Amino acid sequence: MRVLVTGGAGYIGSHVVKKLGEQGHIACTFDNLSTGNRWAVLYGDIIVDDLNNMEAIRRTVRAFRPDAVIHFAAAIVVPESVADPLKYYANNTANTLNLLRVLQEEKIGMFIFSSTAAVYGMPEQMPIDELAPLAPINPYGTSKMMTELILRDMAAVNSSFRYVALRYFNVAGADPKAQIGQAYAAATHLITRGLKTAKGFSARLQIFGTDYDTPDGTCIRDYIHVDDLADAHLLALKSLADGRKSDIFNCGYGHGFSVREVVTVIRDVTGIPFLVEETGRRAGDPAQLVADSTKLRKVLGWQPLYDDLSFIVKTAWEWEKKLS
Ligand code: UFG
């Protein structure tokens, strides 16, 4: 298939582009390189432009004629979204609308959307299945929820448009061959921050909040290896190509680790007993997010290979050591 990948130079997008290339698809990346890197795009062309530029989207779609679009390009940092909500509504919601307008005009009928567990807010039931109410507690989650609703309404009136929204839990790790990985120096994610601390880039890792209603007081997250998540995209693409209906799937393994448990694994894997500082809560953090991914396994036949936090951290560490 010919697949247009927005954000294909970014962390998750580049892993999906790699898999598309390995499986014989033709990928074209559209990326503004604000957080992505040209070298991370291992297959296909890259168009460097922004989704706020509808003319550029139109030109790209007309020239490439994709069968399907996988849409990663977005801003993704929860605390930043609390501080600068308009950036999130512009980047994640309004820019997606630009893309969808062009896809509607050009009659492109298959769409895969990077959604997030943040659409659930602070869910009462754990693990979370796809029927849990959407109640985001930060602008990041709201910006993604709004896009999901736009997709729902668009598909409802346009039978030749189908989509899959994948709700990612906490994506981590790197390509097991260490060709690509997260390469954003200002990354805020726990595992990346922990590894950078182990490398000596900062004096200590902060733990944001130790008074949550969890067994050890720190937040619990479901960490999923980026390659297993990439597989979910390829399965979603196949399901649409096979004529399946629009759908939504949680992407996680179904069990969580606390921040303290993650710190222990990072120290074990790196062999570096870096310092930790316990500080107050970070704005916008729910106590616990664990996926019920039964639907992804049953309906799309997802069979993850790397459900092992030590392996996830090890691949991220191998990659991190390659960065300067
Ligand atoms: N944390 C620390 N110290 C750090 C960084 C993070 O204690 O230096 C804590 C956070 O407070 C949180 C946990 O580690 O409790 C995980 O934080 P991340 O920043 O790694 O990830 P988030 O859970 O905030 O968000 C990620 C993605 C979102 C997605 C969410 C869904 O960035 O896109 O997972 O679970 F919505």
Side-chain angles (χ1 to χ4, degrees):
M1 292 173 75
R2 301 176 67 78
V3 185
L4 179 64
V5 184
T6 74
Y11 168 47
I12 304 170
S14 62
H15 286 78
V16 170
V17 167
K18 182 178 178 195
K19 264 190 203 292
L20 287 168
E22 286 170 349
Q23 296 188 17
H25 298 287
I26 300 168
C28 174
T29 289
F30 186 100
D31 199 302
N32 67 6
L33 298 183
S34 58
T35 57
N37 296 284
R38 197 182 278 273
W39 52 255
V41 181
L42 299 180
Y43 289 89
D45 292 334
I46 170 165
I47 310 294
V48 180
D49 217 311
D50 198 287
L51 291 173
N52 66 13
N53 181 353
M54 254 178 97
E55 224 8 82
I57 305 172
R58 198 173 279 122
R59 223 176 17 248
T60 303
V61 169
R62 284 186 181 161
F64 182 64
R65 298 301 320 164
D67 300 302
V69 175
I70 308 183
H71 178 40
F72 295 98
I76 61 154
V77 180
V78 169
E80 184 192 42
S81 80
V82 176
D84 187 0
L86 296 190
K87 172 173 175 181
Y88 280 70
Y89 294 121
N91 246 340
N92 297 359
T93 313
N95 284 354
T96 305
L97 200 56
N98 288 340
L99 176 62
L100 292 173
R101 280 212 176 98
V102 173
L103 299 186
Q104 184 164 277
E105 274 168 30
E106 298 296 321
K107 304 191 176 16
I108 310 298
M110 293 187 262
F111 191 79
I112 296 173
F113 176 56
S114 298
S115 191
T116 171
V119 297
Y120 296 116
M122 303 220 187
E124 285 176 9
Q125 298 282 337
M126 209 57 63
I128 309 161
D129 70 23
E130 293 80 358
L131 298 175
L134 302 186
I137 57 162
N138 49 59
Y140 169 66
T142 307
S143 70
K144 291 282 185 173
M145 179 189 75
M146 287 162 79
T147 304
E148 281 199 17
L149 298 179
I150 293 168
L151 288 167
R152 181 198 65 188
D153 294 347
M154 182 173 163
V157 293
N158 183 348
S159 58
S160 57
F161 178 83
R162 287 167 301 129
Y163 72 93
V164 170
L166 297 174
R167 293 180 180 154
Y168 309 163
F169 283 63
N170 285 58
V171 190
D175 168 32
K177 292 189 185 136
Q179 279 185 295
I180 46 176
Q182 190 163 46
Y184 180 46
T188 58
H189 293 110
L190 177 63
I191 292 176
T192 308
R193 287 291 272 269
L195 294 173
K196 288 198 189 293
T197 309
K199 270 196 346 186
F201 279 32
S202 51
R204 54 184 63 81
L205 177 73
Q206 292 186 316
I207 293 186
F208 299 135
T210 54
D211 59 347
Y212 285 96
D213 185 17
T214 59
D216 71 13
T218 65
C219 289
I220 292 175
R221 295 288 183 273
D222 186 338
Y223 294 90
I224 170 176
H225 191 279
V226 63
D227 242 28
D228 280 336
L229 180 66
D231 278 340
H233 290 75
L234 274 287
L235 291 169
L237 191 61
K238 184 172 182 312
S239 80
L240 291 176
D242 288 347
R244 262 203 101 251
K245 66 176 177 65
S246 296
D247 218 336
I248 296 175
F249 300 94
N250 283 344
C251 300
Y253 293 135
H255 39 252
F257 294 91
S258 72
V259 174
R260 287 192 208 279
E261 288 171 328
V262 173
V263 169
T264 301
V265 172
I266 299 174
R267 283 177 170 159
D268 285 351
V269 166
T270 61
I272 300 169
F274 57 86
L275 295 176
V276 160
E277 178 191 3
E278 296 182 359
T279 66
R281 293 182 176 198
R282 193 177 70 173
D285 276 343
Q288 200 173 151
L289 289 172
V290 177
D292 178 340
S293 52
T294 309
K295 190 176 169 191
L296 181 64
R297 294 168 198 262
K298 283 203 172 142
V299 176
L300 296 189
W302 185 60
Q303 293 182 311
L305 298 176
Y306 306 122
D307 178 0
D308 171 349
L309 187 60
S310 292
F311 181 81
I312 292 174
V313 172
K314 197 164 168 296
T315 57
W317 180 230
E318 290 311 315
W319 167 252
E320 192 61 46
K321 285 190 290 186
K322 287 178 80 172
L323 297 172
S324 54

